[in-house]
Amino acid sequence: NGDGDLTDGIPLPGWTINAYADDGDGILSVGEFAAGAVATDVTDASGDYTLTLAPGDYIVCEVQQAAWTQSFPTAATPEAADCSVDASLGPVGYAITVSSGAQLTDNDFGNFSVGDKSGRKFEDLNADGDDEGGTDPALGGWTINAYADDGDGILSQDEFDAGAVASDVTDAVDGSYLLTLTAGDYIVCEVQQAGWTQSYPTDAHPEAADCSVDASLGPVGYAITIAAGDAQIGNDFGNFAPGTKSGTKLDDPNGDGDLTDGIPLPGWTI
């Protein structure tokens, strides 16, 4: 969940952890980085690594991988070291001093990878809940929110009050939206606009979520589970705006069908 607490972490194998000789200031310099790692290991199936080092001062850094963000350690971690000298490394590592026979443990690294959820906002011209193969026009300027969910697919008052964890406004050209989310359960809802009625999704949709906790939202949204690296698509929203038809009821005094001389007739049901 990207919170830096690794007690619920899942082991990540295949990550390279490097140790660089340090002058003791806890900052990996250009010269120290250019000198290369004095020890390196790749995390195993359990996420574990071991570096064997002669006595001395070192900075231990992870080699960054695309689409991942480091969440631990942070600058507030007691042994935090600055590894930001090169973008190939995670920004924070560990400044350690190894003595003869020492066994230093728990220098852990945590990372998270976000996932994406996307869809299209369309005007449902015939109010049938279908965008007619994408031919119904796009609706730009609509806000789509994602709320953290406890997994029951119902947006509770507390979840709504906690606020959206991600939000986007549909594109003016194609009606698209994109939400970037850390791994977890979410409910995605549209923010309702006056004069419009939601026609899609409906309660019959496999991922349907109940967004009716607040009248500011469309009543039905999506209950989704995001995993690291997901790119989930197709969570579309459809709405229609009702039209009006009006006229005047008149007494046609000479029965000629010309109503310019007509007399208003109240009390008739149309």
Side-chain angles (χ1 to χ4, degrees):
N1 56 16
D3 66 354
D5 179 355
L6 304 185
T7 56
D8 58 354
I10 301 166
L12 282 177
W15 284 65
T16 299
I17 310 295
N18 290 338
Y20 302 88
D22 182 37
D23 59 9
D25 67 355
I27 301 172
L28 185 63
S29 68
V30 172
E32 291 165 345
F33 174 72
V38 297
T40 187
D41 195 19
V42 176
T43 58
D44 64 16
S46 298
D48 297 331
Y49 72 93
T50 301
L51 302 170
T52 300
L53 299 160
D57 293 322
Y58 301 93
I59 290 180
V60 180
C61 308
E62 68 175 10
V63 176
Q64 192 61 276
Q65 294 192 17
W68 290 84
T69 299
Q70 187 182 75
S71 61
F72 192 84
T74 70
T77 302
E79 293 183 319
D82 185 347
C83 295
S84 63
V85 65
D86 193 89
S88 67
L89 303 178
V92 182
Y94 293 94
I96 63 172
T97 298
V98 176
S99 58
S100 177
Q103 291 186 334
L104 307 179
T105 61
D106 298 328
N107 282 181
D108 301 333
F109 290 90
N111 295 69
F112 66 90
S113 177
V114 296
D116 291 333
K117 193 64 179 174
S118 61
R120 175 177 180 263
K121 179 71 186 175
F122 65 92
E123 181 177 3
D124 188 359
L125 294 178
N126 59 7
D128 67 350
D130 188 335
D131 71 352
E132 316 304 330
T135 61
D136 273 352
L139 285 176
W142 285 65
T143 299
I144 311 296
N145 289 338
Y147 301 89
D149 181 39
D150 59 9
D152 66 356
I154 301 172
L155 185 62
S156 69
Q157 189 66 55
D158 286 345
E159 290 165 346
F160 174 74
D161 290 343
V165 296
S167 185
D168 195 18
V169 176
T170 59
D171 183 78
V173 176
D174 60 12
S176 63
Y177 72 90
L178 177 66
L179 301 171
T180 300
L181 300 160
T182 58
D185 295 321
Y186 301 92
I187 290 179
V188 180
C189 309
E190 67 174 13
V191 176
Q192 193 60 275
Q193 294 193 15
W196 292 84
T197 300
Q198 186 183 75
S199 61
Y200 189 83
T202 68
D203 291 334
H205 192 282
E207 290 184 326
D210 184 346
C211 295
S212 62
V213 65
D214 195 90
S216 67
L217 303 178
V220 182
Y222 294 93
I224 62 172
T225 298
I226 293 289
D230 270 352
Q232 299 184 20
I233 61 174
N235 279 182
D236 301 337
F237 289 91
N239 293 68
F240 64 89
T244 60
K245 187 65 175 176
S246 61
T248 305
K249 179 68 182 175
L250 298 168
D251 174 11
D252 183 3
N254 56 13
D256 64 355
D258 180 359
L259 303 184
T260 56
D261 57 353
I263 303 166
L265 281 177
W268 286 63
T269 299
I270 309 297

